[in-house]
Amino acid sequence: MKRLKETFRDVARYPSAIIGMIIVLALIIFSIYTIWKIPYNEAIKMWRASESVVYKNPRNARPTWVNWFRKDKLPLSVDVVAGEDDDFTKVSEPRASGGNSIEFVYTFDYESNELPQDFFVYFTSNYQTKNPFVSMVLQTPSGEEIKIVDTGITRNQNYRFEQDEKLRTRLKRLHRGNVPSTAMEGLFSKFGSDPFEIDKGSYTLTIQATTFEEGSDVDAELIMHGKVFGLFGTDNLRRDLKVAMMWGAPIALAFGLTAALGTAIITMFISAVGTWYGGWLDELIQRITEVNMVIPYFAVLIMVGTFYSRSIWTLLLVTIILNMFSASIKSQRAIFLQVKESTYIEAAIAYGASDLRIVTRYMIPRVIPMIIPGLVSAVPSYVFLEASLALLGLGDPSIPTWGKVINDARNYGAQYQGLYYWILEPAVFLMITGLGFALLGFALDRIFNPRLRGM
Amino acid sequence: MTTENNNVPLESTTEDNFNVASHSMVKYSRQVSRATAKRLSLFFIRRLVLLLITIVVGVYVTIIVANMGGYVDTILKAQIREEVNMQVAEMSAKSHMSADERRDLTNSMIADREKLAGLDKPFIVRSFTHLKNALTLNFGRARFMISDHGSRMVRNIILERLPATLLLMGTSQLLLFAVSLFFALVISRHYGSFWDKLVVALSPTSSIPPWFYGIFLILIFAAWLKILPFGGMVDAPPPPTKLGYFLSVLKHMILPAFSLFISSFMINVYSWRTFFLIYSSEDYVDMAKAKGLSSRAIERRYILRPTLPNIITSFALMLVGIWTGATLTETVFLWPGLGTTIFEAVSKYDTAVIVGTTIIQAYLLGITVFLLDFLYAIVDPRVKLGGGK
């Protein structure tokens, strides 16, 4: 206990160690928060990107905070439910012939120089036999009224502005000579402007719904796909990168820590046993170490990932097996050889301690302080190993990880299209994780290694 | 073995500098050097044999992993079955064959093809055939990939890509070795200075692998500043003149070589500077200072010489580890070397190429280990005392 306290006092003397420790602790807390906030199954469901999960997300949207650094702001993504929001009102009146007349009014300011990606209205209604009817009109800041659509709706009906051919034809006619390439361009540009100039100001979307039965009602949810979304943005499949950024942390930690810890403990045990028994066992272990040095371990991992399984846990196991006989066996062997000759081991033999007892109780504890710095410093290499495999397309298909996001981004050509956030976000996370463990490991190395003290 | 013998006299002359050169001493040292030469060559023969055995075992293990439980064979069998089925379907379309006849024909053709591929032998026998093939670089034919000259032989595909990898790795690693050794020496002279502290503070940045720096460098220099290419090895179309070609390759090599360089630079300078500091606090260095030797001489004879084995060991370990980084760095920069080949093979599921590249890498690692052993023995006088260890 006293020794632990002293160690802590030593650690506190190195600012880099404190920074490293804070980062590692923050990562652990962040991981726990992630697991609690988005349970594993939910995260996987969200990452599979079925339409019901991602319908609110725009495609390739930058994170919202990029607007802080931009002069011309990118349009935000909007999701409003009628009646729940002050901007989107719902007024319902009974009609004389039965049913209701419902008016939805959505008023919004549009000040961006860029067009939104799309507009959707999701209608939900209840009725027995007669479908309700809706008509939509958009009033622009210049005072023009554009008829969007007149249509009957089913119980769950969505209307996408960009997919309505009739709307496009109408917009083409309204704009005369200059043909808008998308419905959004037609709706948000001044009539007669050439090239298209965005009509900034207050827009009003009025939806007039009519139901034809007693008790029949209509609800509407309006979604605008802007060009920024959330804290982390979205990818080409409209997945919220938040899921991958958050879940990347526990997975990276689990992989890195398990691999580093597993490898270190097994290596230590192997070299202790080899040194204690000596003879052919020691010789065999040394030969295996040499063979292991020649085996290209990353290439073997690639083979395993390609031929057998891409499961992250299989790859973890193979990583540990391939790193068990690492070069550190040789340096540990040198220490164990000294320990083996010391008098307290002789005393242990004299009182009849078993081989197992000597190895686990007297030999291994001597090297533990020496392997801790290496263990901590090894964590980043395993974290990056997982990312490396993901970059080659060998990531676990079901789990979102930082490396896989970089792989997705590169496959999509994000670096050529200016979608830098997509690469930089996971990269920054990986870098912080790597640096945190490395800072801590380097400081520990200087504390535990007497020759490096004060250097 | 000739190279080793050539290097021995060089070794003993440097040692002679330490001796007073009287006639009898020279004679004595010549005798010693002859004996050392014999021991050294014995040592190397032993090391070479051991290393060859190590490489053979390493390659065999690689093959076992590649073909564990006959998994690759299963893929091969399925491929044969599919091809035969299609052939038979084509044949039976033109002639009238009963279902039984067709089935018999299919089965006999599959059996023939499997025998041709050696799939009828037991796994142990097959694994040794594979080993023999691998050791003679006979990796078979690729399923999808072709070399730039149009060959389907895996060996040709790999040998075509090898020079690119060696060029990139050789340049960056030699540069790294020389530059960081120089910086480490300079910084160890100014222990505690700002630059020294900076190196100590920045050394954890080396935990980030080269391909990761590569991604950032691409974003900065290619996507943002647009002054260097995104990747590849030479402009398209390649410049017609030799000089133009050389300059174009150089331009493409800047970013990948720099990312390989930068990811190991800080840790190298840090650990070597630490070695120098540890060794400069030895008593014999104080003794040399007391004798009034110049600081250059002290550095060369009493600090650099004893640390060289350590430096080479750490460089060796780094070099062995860097092959991993090189695979990804090449992929990130689309550098047409072994790394990109393995990446392509993975995405096309070309098993023969994956196995072939892995084995070539085992060879390269073996050669690296041997060369460094060799260097180690030259700079470490203790190896001679051990003779054949």
Side-chain angles (χ1 to χ4, degrees), chain A residues 9-301:
Chain A
R9 209 169 300 139
D10 277 341
V11 169
R13 242 185 286 142
Y14 291 92
S16 62
I18 297 174
I19 298 171
M21 214 132 81
I22 290 173
I23 293 175
V24 171
L25 270 179
L27 276 170
I28 292 172
I29 294 169
F30 182 61
S31 304
I32 294 171
Y33 171 76
T34 302
I35 297 169
W36 168 74
K37 184 84 181 168
I38 313 174
Y40 182 72
N41 290 331
E42 203 179 309
I44 286 175
K45 214 175 95 194
M46 284 167 92
W47 200 242
R48 257 182 218 147
S50 62
E51 186 58 26
S52 60
V53 176
V54 297
Y55 72 99
K56 289 177 185 173
N57 308 357
R59 206 176 287 280
N60 293 335
R62 287 161 177 74
T64 312
W65 46 261
V66 297
N67 266 348
W68 302 345
F69 309 103
R70 289 180 71 107
K71 222 178 222 163
D72 54 330
K73 309 290 180 201
L74 293 171
L76 297 169
S77 297
V78 175
D79 170 24
V80 282
V81 178
E84 287 178 13
D85 208 291
D86 284 346
D87 298 335
F88 196 15
T89 56
K90 175 184 175 183
V91 181
S92 182
E93 272 175 25
R95 292 189 328 133
S97 54
N100 297 305
S101 169
I102 308 158
E103 193 182 53
F104 300 96
V105 178
Y106 178 55
T107 317
F108 62 99
D109 285 328
Y110 200 81
E111 297 294 346
S112 177
N113 280 326
E114 303 249 352
L115 293 164
Q117 285 183 0
D118 202 352
F119 242 89
F120 296 54
V121 183
Y122 279 78
F123 292 107
T124 44
S125 59
N126 59 322
Y127 57 87
Q128 297 298 320
T129 50
K130 289 181 187 161
N131 299 28
F133 187 84
V134 296
S135 59
M136 260 189 262
V137 172
L138 182 74
Q139 195 180 40
T140 67
S142 327
E144 311 273 356
E145 287 209 344
I146 308 170
K147 190 179 91 178
I148 307 286
V149 74
D150 291 321
T151 179
I153 54 167
T154 56
R155 286 183 180 83
N156 285 301
Q157 174 95 40
N158 68 53
Y159 174 73
R160 297 183 167 207
F161 285 36
E162 282 297 349
Q163 283 176 357
D164 190 347
E165 278 303 321
K166 280 185 193 160
L167 175 65
R168 268 201 219 184
T169 324
R170 208 174 303 128
L171 286 167
K172 229 181 265 175
R173 218 181 305 127
L174 285 169
H175 274 281
R176 292 197 194 89
N178 200 1
V179 179
S181 54
T182 60
M184 287 302 117
E185 195 166 50
L187 286 174
F188 285 92
S189 306
K190 284 180 183 153
F191 289 164
S193 60
D194 188 13
F196 287 107
E197 189 190 326
I198 290 181
D199 200 359
K200 291 182 188 172
S202 174
Y203 285 82
T204 310
L205 181 74
T206 313
I207 307 167
Q208 191 72 49
T210 316
T211 63
F212 304 100
E213 288 170 359
E214 210 59 54
S216 173
D217 197 12
V218 178
D219 271 306
E221 181 181 9
L222 192 143
I223 287 154
M224 184 175 90
H225 283 177
K227 283 195 170 147
V228 292
F229 181 87
L231 193 55
F232 296 102
T234 58
D235 65 5
N236 62 328
L237 299 173
R238 307 204 306 198
R239 293 180 293 199
D240 189 350
L241 288 180
K242 182 179 81 182
V243 182
M245 291 307 115
M246 286 176 75
W247 261 94
I251 290 166
L253 283 190
F255 192 87
L257 284 174
T258 318
L261 211 65
T263 312
I265 290 173
I266 296 174
T267 304
M268 190 173 67
F269 202 76
I270 289 173
S271 57
V273 168
T275 326
W276 178 244
Y277 288 101
W280 64 270
L281 189 67
D282 192 27
E283 198 65 19
L284 179 72
I285 289 171
Q286 293 214 63
R287 292 293 89 77
I288 294 178
T289 312
E290 272 158 25
V291 169
N292 197 51
M293 208 164 158
V294 176
I295 294 176
Y297 110 94
F298 190 63
V300 169
L301 266 182

Side-chain angles (χ1 to χ4, degrees), chain B residues 234-249:
Chain B
V234 70
D235 283 329
T241 59
K242 268 199 169 149
L243 182 73
Y245 195 91
F246 172 75
L247 287 177
S248 173
V249 170

Side-chain angles (χ1 to χ4, degrees), chain B residues 111-338:
Chain B
D112 283 349
R113 293 277 295 272
E114 285 184 353
K115 200 170 177 186
L116 193 66
L119 288 173
D120 56 336
K121 294 181 188 123
F123 177 66
I124 289 292
V125 179
R126 256 182 296 130
S127 72
F128 281 106
T129 326
H130 288 319
L131 177 66
K132 201 190 101 210
N133 287 341
L135 289 175
T136 51
L137 300 189
N138 181 9
F139 303 126
R141 296 165 79 84
R143 279 169 64 196
F144 307 108
M145 289 171 72
I146 43 172
S147 80
D148 292 344
H149 289 108
S151 169
R152 276 247 159 147
M153 300 293 285
V154 174
R155 177 175 41 195
N156 292 350
I157 295 174
I158 289 173
L159 289 183
E160 201 178 75
R161 303 298 190 90
L162 195 57
T165 294
L166 292 181
L167 174 69
L168 178 63
M169 292 295 291
T171 316
S172 59
Q173 297 316 304
L174 284 180
L175 208 67
L176 180 67
F177 186 75
V179 175
S180 38
L181 195 61
F182 173 75
F183 269 88
L185 261 179
V186 171
I187 279 172
S188 73
R189 262 183 240 149
H190 304 280
Y191 169 64
S193 69
F194 167 75
W195 294 107
D196 183 43
K197 281 180 180 146
L198 190 74
V199 165
V200 175
L202 287 182
S203 53
T205 55
S206 292
S207 65
I208 298 167
W211 61 267
F212 203 76
Y213 284 103
I215 287 179
F216 279 97
L217 291 175
I218 287 175
L219 285 183
I220 294 170
F221 290 99
W224 185 39
L225 296 176
K226 298 189 175 61
I227 49 174
L228 287 169
F230 274 95
M233 189 167 156
V234 70
D235 283 329
T241 59
K242 268 199 169 149
L243 182 73
Y245 195 91
F246 172 75
L247 287 177
S248 173
V249 170
L250 205 65
K251 190 177 78 182
H252 284 77
M253 205 164 69
I254 293 174
L255 285 187
F258 186 60
S259 52
L260 282 166
F261 177 86
I262 199 170
S263 86
S264 305
F265 179 65
M266 283 298 170
I267 185 79
N268 273 11
V269 174
Y270 168 76
S271 56
W272 295 354
R273 148 227 178 255
T274 312
F275 275 135
F276 292 146
L277 286 176
I278 289 171
Y279 278 86
S280 57
S281 59
E282 296 279 356
D283 292 339
Y284 56 77
V285 177
D286 290 336
M287 168 77 177
K289 275 182 197 157
K291 274 201 303 195
L293 286 178
S294 73
S295 62
R296 296 251 148 197
I298 294 176
E299 212 161 66
R300 218 174 46 240
R301 285 193 210 150
Y302 296 100
I303 301 177
L304 203 52
R305 251 186 88 91
T307 43
L308 223 45
N310 285 333
I311 287 173
I312 285 175
T313 313
S314 77
F315 189 71
L317 287 176
M318 193 199 69
L319 213 55
V320 169
I322 208 92
W323 287 110
T324 311
T327 307
L328 265 297
T329 313
E330 283 182 6
T331 308
V332 165
F333 284 101
L334 307 173
W335 186 264
L338 282 182

Side-chain angles (χ1 to χ4, degrees), chain A residues 16 286-310 318 322 327 330 377 380-381 383-389 391-394 403 406-407 410-411 414-420 423-424 426-440 442-443 445-446 449 451-455, chain B residues 47 50-51 53-55 57-59 61-69 71-72 75 191 200-201 203-209 211-212 215-216 218-219 223-224 226 230 267 270 273-274 277-279 281-282 316-317 320 323-324 327-328 331-334 339 342-343 345-347 349-352 354-355 357-359 361-363 365-366 369 389:
Chain A
S16 62
Q286 293 214 63
R287 292 293 89 77
I288 294 178
T289 312
E290 272 158 25
V291 169
N292 197 51
M293 208 164 158
V294 176
I295 294 176
Y297 110 94
F298 190 63
V300 169
L301 266 182
I302 290 175
M303 280 201 313
V304 171
T306 322
F307 296 161
Y308 306 115
S309 158
R310 291 188 184 184
V318 176
L322 287 173
K330 299 228 168 193
S377 312
S381 62
V383 170
F384 278 107
L385 178 72
E386 191 274 320
S388 305
L389 287 170
L391 196 77
L392 286 178
L394 294 173
I406 297 183
N407 182 37
R410 283 178 49 80
N411 284 346
Q415 73 270 40
Y416 307 115
Q417 301 186 23
L419 303 168
Y420 303 137
I423 298 178
L424 286 178
V428 166
F429 270 107
L430 276 170
M431 220 161 71
I432 290 174
T433 311
L435 282 182
F437 280 100
L439 281 171
L440 190 61
F442 271 69
D445 196 22
R446 281 192 277 165
N449 197 339
R451 288 194 93 176
L452 296 176
R453 246 172 209 278
M455 278 190 186
Chain B
R47 285 302 301 168
L50 259 180
L51 203 81
I53 295 171
T54 313
I55 291 179
V57 176
V59 170
V61 171
T62 314
I63 286 164
I64 297 284
V65 174
N67 211 352
M68 207 195 302
Y71 190 82
V72 177
I75 299 173
Y191 169 64
V200 175
S203 53
T205 55
S206 292
S207 65
I208 298 167
W211 61 267
F212 203 76
I215 287 179
F216 279 97
I218 287 175
L219 285 183
W224 185 39
K226 298 189 175 61
F230 274 95
I267 185 79
Y270 168 76
R273 148 227 178 255
T274 312
L277 286 176
I278 289 171
Y279 278 86
S281 59
E282 296 279 356
L317 287 176
V320 169
W323 287 110
T324 311
T327 307
L328 265 297
T331 308
V332 165
F333 284 101
L334 307 173
I342 211 168
F343 172 69
V346 167
S347 49
Y349 213 79
D350 208 326
T351 46
I354 298 177
V355 176
T357 323
T358 310
I359 287 161
Q361 284 205 5
Y363 262 121
L365 277 178
V369 171
K389 216 203 266 180

